[in-house]
Amino acid sequence: MLTDQGKALTFAEEYIVEVLDGDKTATVRYDDAEHIKVGDTVSAITGAASEFATLDIKRTATLNAVEALGFIELVGAEYGADTVEELIDGVGRHYNEYIGPGTTVRVIVFEAEGSK
C-alpha cells in the first residue's frame, strides 16, 4: 500500500509487536503530529527510520493530556495505559519533557494493515 508522501509516525521499538498484533491502536503525541489527518495512510517507523508497518489513520483529536485516555476509551482503541497518570508519565518519558494534565497533545487512532 502506498503511503501519503512523507508522512510517518515514529514508534519506540518496544511497541512494534503491539502495533503489528493490533494490541496498540492509538498513540499520543506531543508537538510532532499535526500533519497526520484522518484518512491518511502513513508509515510506522522506528527511531532508525526502518518501516515496520503501514497505518490507516481512523481518528485524531487534539486535546488536553488529561482528556486523552477518555477519548481513547470512547473510540474503543487500545493504548496500554490504565490511568491518566500512566498516560501522562509515558508521554513525558518518550519526549523527555514535562507533560502536565493541561498540556495539549494529539491522539491518533490507527489500524495497522494486516493486523489481527
Side-chain angles (χ1 to χ4, degrees), residues 6-12 27-37 42 45 62 91 94-95 97 99 103-108:
K7 293 190 178 184
L9 288 171
T10 303
F11 289 87
T27 184
V28 179
R29 302 299 170 121
Y30 168 70
D31 204 26
D32 74 345
E34 292 301 316
H35 63 288
I36 304 294
K37 307 289 182 214
V42 304
I45 61 174
T62 301
V91 173
H94 283 289
Y95 286 94
E97 291 200 31
I99 304 294
T103 302
T104 300
V105 297
R106 186 158 176 86
V107 177
I108 300 170

Side-chain angles (χ1 to χ4, degrees), residues 74-92:
L74 178 69
V75 300
E78 300 293 332
Y79 182 71
D82 293 323
T83 67
V84 170
E85 292 79 14
E86 284 179 10
L87 182 144
I88 290 171
D89 290 345
V91 173

Side-chain angles (χ1 to χ4, degrees), residues 13-88:
E13 291 196 18
E14 67 191 89
Y15 298 120
I16 293 173
V17 172
E18 291 178 19
V19 169
L20 293 173
D21 286 348
D23 294 330
K24 181 174 183 64
T25 60
T27 184
V28 179
R29 302 299 170 121
Y30 168 70
D31 204 26
D32 74 345
E34 292 301 316
H35 63 288
I36 304 294
K37 307 289 182 214
V38 172
D40 285 349
T41 300
V42 304
S43 297
I45 61 174
T46 63
S50 297
E51 182 176 346
F52 67 89
T54 301
L55 307 176
D56 294 323
I57 307 304
K58 302 298 183 185
R59 295 179 184 264
T60 64
T62 301
L63 30 71
N64 290 334
V66 71
E67 301 167 314
L69 189 58
F71 176 79
I72 290 167
E73 291 172 350
L74 178 69
V75 300
E78 300 293 332
Y79 182 71
D82 293 323
T83 67
V84 170
E85 292 79 14
E86 284 179 10
L87 182 144
I88 290 171

